[in-house]
Amino acid sequence: MTEGEEAGVRFEVTHVLDAIERHVTTDATMAQATVDLGEIAWFDDLDGGRAVNLLRLGLLVDALSRHLGEDSVMIYPVAGRDLLSDQDLTSKERMVLGRWAGDGLIEVLPAVGDRVVEIDDLTGLPVVSRDGYPGWESRYPWLRTQTDRLLRLVPAEGGARIVGGVPGPPKPDGPGATLLARIWRCPRRDCPTLGEHRLESQAVPGIRSGVPVCPRHDEPLVNVGPRAPAIVFAVLVDGVVRTRFALRAGRSVVVGRSPDDPDGVRIGPWLAGEAASMVSRNHVRLELRDDMLLVSDMSTNGTVVRSRNSPFTAADEVHLGGGPPYPLKPWDSIELHQGVVVARADRNLARSVGGPGSVMGDAPTIALRPPPVAR
Ligand SMILES: [Zn+2]
């Protein structure tokens, strides 16, 4: 490799790590699956390359994107301290991991143990793993029965693929519902996982002898009060989920091509052709007020609500053109233009298969060695 080529590889790896970073979160509301980050980074059978490689998380992101038909999958990674100090990581990888840990994008604990399964036990999120969790069935009996919550990552042509079912949305009445209905704070106020700045987008508390504890510091948490409910929405363009956002009580969110509000959901980058000119910069405003979910049309060309009482009934079309806020039912979807849909992510989304992009860029061909087709 020439010096120029090496510099190109370094640039590409940085670019890929940035792309992966957009898919990691420890926000319990936004996460869609959990993973033991070390298990994936040390999974050298995926590409037959170095013993440890952080880019393997990108293979997981791509595999889960294809599995779910989404461009916006969010992973909740848990890492033991041994991964962060692994001398076989490049200095760039160690720096990025340290930053993710400090920013609370990944959860770091002294040892991972059963933490990934505990998160799944409390939230109902699926876990992506290499081998499943043999030996933990007596503590978590659902590991035996609810196999749709256990996804396996296996080597495949070009990287990796997920084996397992497509998990349904987490049940709001799961065992952790009471726990997650409150705001918890770590006694160490600067804790990246559950500190003072994490009161809204909060990680999942741990449980020791029935007491909520900080998974990072193992200290009992402070009960700050009830948590405002939140609903997660997905934006689908031509059947592919392009982005997700949380709507929290007492706060409104504008969705459009390029909303004036910096906290709005900007969908312009995914629009093409007629949709790019028909969707307004500020198209709809959503709000959650007194348990009512309201949508207001702010657009030039109007908005259609496809209203249905269940996933099995035919939809009625309701045309919104300005006017007062319209109350949405749980199965309703909002069409900004044909093929551009906003719908609750905790309901079955009418997805098409295929279409999502890749976070890996050209990385598999340079920094990871994809396995040969047959081995
Ligand atoms: Zn803490």
Side-chain angles (χ1 to χ4, degrees), residues 122-205:
L122 293 169
T123 60
L125 289 174
V127 52
V128 183
S129 78
R130 175 180 180 167
D131 303 317
Y133 285 87
W136 290 107
E137 293 89 348
S138 54
R139 185 153 175 194
Y140 303 106
W142 58 265
L143 284 172
R144 265 191 219 105
T145 52
Q146 297 192 25
T147 44
D148 60 330
R149 282 160 69 181
L150 287 174
L151 305 178
R152 286 187 55 232
L153 190 70
V154 298
E157 190 180 347
R161 72 186 171 92
I162 300 279
V163 178
V166 174
K171 304 275 178 289
D173 53 353
T178 323
L179 182 74
L180 294 170
R182 306 203 71 79
I183 301 171
W184 300 97
R185 183 174 58 72
C186 180
R188 305 194 190 197
R189 289 175 179 269
D190 59 349
C191 172
T193 305
L194 284 157
E196 212 152 43
H197 68 294
R198 291 297 312 273
L199 298 185
E200 186 168 272
S201 65
Q202 186 178 266
V204 180

Side-chain angles (χ1 to χ4, degrees), residues 210-226:
V211 176
V213 295
C214 174
R216 186 183 183 108
H217 297 113
D218 212 28
E219 293 176 27
L221 295 170
V222 179
N223 182 344
V224 179

Side-chain angles (χ1 to χ4, degrees), residues 237-238 256-258 267-283 300-301 336-340:
V237 179
D238 297 329
R257 192 156 41 80
S258 181
I267 64 169
W270 297 290
L271 303 180
E274 204 183 59
S277 56
M278 294 297 279
V279 172
S280 296
R281 286 199 308 121
N282 301 288
H283 201 107
T300 309
N301 298 309
L336 311 191
H337 181 70
Q338 196 181 352
V340 183

Side-chain angles (χ1 to χ4, degrees), residues 198-370:
R198 291 297 312 273
L199 298 185
E200 186 168 272
S201 65
Q202 186 178 266
V204 180
I207 302 282
R208 300 284 169 273
S209 315
V211 176
V213 295
C214 174
R216 186 183 183 108
H217 297 113
D218 212 28
E219 293 176 27
L221 295 170
V222 179
N223 182 344
V224 179
R227 165 179 303 284
I231 295 176
V232 179
F233 283 86
V235 178
L236 295 97
V237 179
D238 297 329
V240 176
V241 178
R242 294 299 182 180
T243 190
R244 295 172 162 251
F245 63 93
L247 178 68
R248 296 178 201 273
R251 212 175 276 195
S252 64
V253 173
V254 174
V255 183
R257 192 156 41 80
S258 181
D260 295 328
D261 182 349
D263 292 329
V265 179
R266 181 168 164 259
I267 64 169
W270 297 290
L271 303 180
E274 204 183 59
S277 56
M278 294 297 279
V279 172
S280 296
R281 286 199 308 121
N282 301 288
H283 201 107
V284 286
R285 172 182 283 115
L286 288 158
E287 58 190 311
L288 191 55
R289 200 197 294 160
D290 304 328
D291 284 346
M292 287 249 282
L293 182 53
L294 301 169
V295 57
S296 308
D297 176 55
M298 309 164 74
S299 72
T300 309
N301 298 309
T303 298
V304 175
V305 173
R306 294 198 190 282
S307 181
R308 45 170 75 90
N309 291 317
S310 81
F312 311 108
T313 48
D316 289 328
E317 279 189 13
V318 182
H319 290 259
L320 308 183
Y326 178 86
L328 283 176
K329 296 197 292 285
W331 295 100
D332 290 358
S333 57
I334 307 163
E335 201 174 80
L336 311 191
H337 181 70
Q338 196 181 352
V340 183
V341 173
V342 180
R344 283 177 69 148
D346 59 350
R347 295 294 183 272
N348 296 319
L349 301 170
R351 296 183 172 112
S352 67
V353 283
S358 167
V359 295
M360 296 300 283
D362 292 328
T365 58
I366 48 176
L368 287 172
R369 209 149 31 92

